[in-house]
Amino acid sequence: MNTLDRYILRQFLLNFVILFAVMTLLILMLDFIMQLDEFVGRAKYLEHTGFQAFVTTMLTAADFYGPNI
């Protein structure tokens, strides 16, 4: 395998990994936005307000998306 082949293969794999990461994050963010009201509803159910509600919402989202990542 000569130098040009290694360069092309490295560029292809780098672009593939970057594209895969971007597409995965895009899908997760769109799903997060679509389900945001359910995450906020959990904070309202626990009667949290202000910063505590924000933290509860983010922790609930992290618990939900942790296994997906």
Side-chain angles (χ1 to χ4, degrees):
M1 187 179 264
N2 62 20
T3 307
L4 183 60
D5 291 339
R6 284 185 298 216
Y7 174 76
I8 292 171
L9 182 62
R10 185 183 60 178
Q11 287 300 113
F12 173 76
L13 291 176
L14 179 67
N15 288 337
F16 180 80
V17 168
I18 291 171
L19 180 63
F20 184 76
V22 167
M23 292 299 290
T24 302
L25 288 174
L26 179 66
I27 290 169
L28 288 176
M29 288 305 298
L30 287 173
D31 191 45
F32 174 75
I33 291 169
M34 292 177 65
Q35 294 188 10
L36 187 59
D37 59 338
E38 294 178 25
F39 298 139
V40 171
R42 170 118 170 113
K44 288 181 182 176
Y45 174 75
L46 296 174
E47 298 178 357
H48 292 162
T49 58
F51 185 71
Q52 191 176 15
F54 174 75
V55 171
T56 303
T57 301
M58 291 300 115
L59 289 176
T60 304
D63 286 342
F64 182 76
Y65 288 113
N68 290 341
I69 294 173

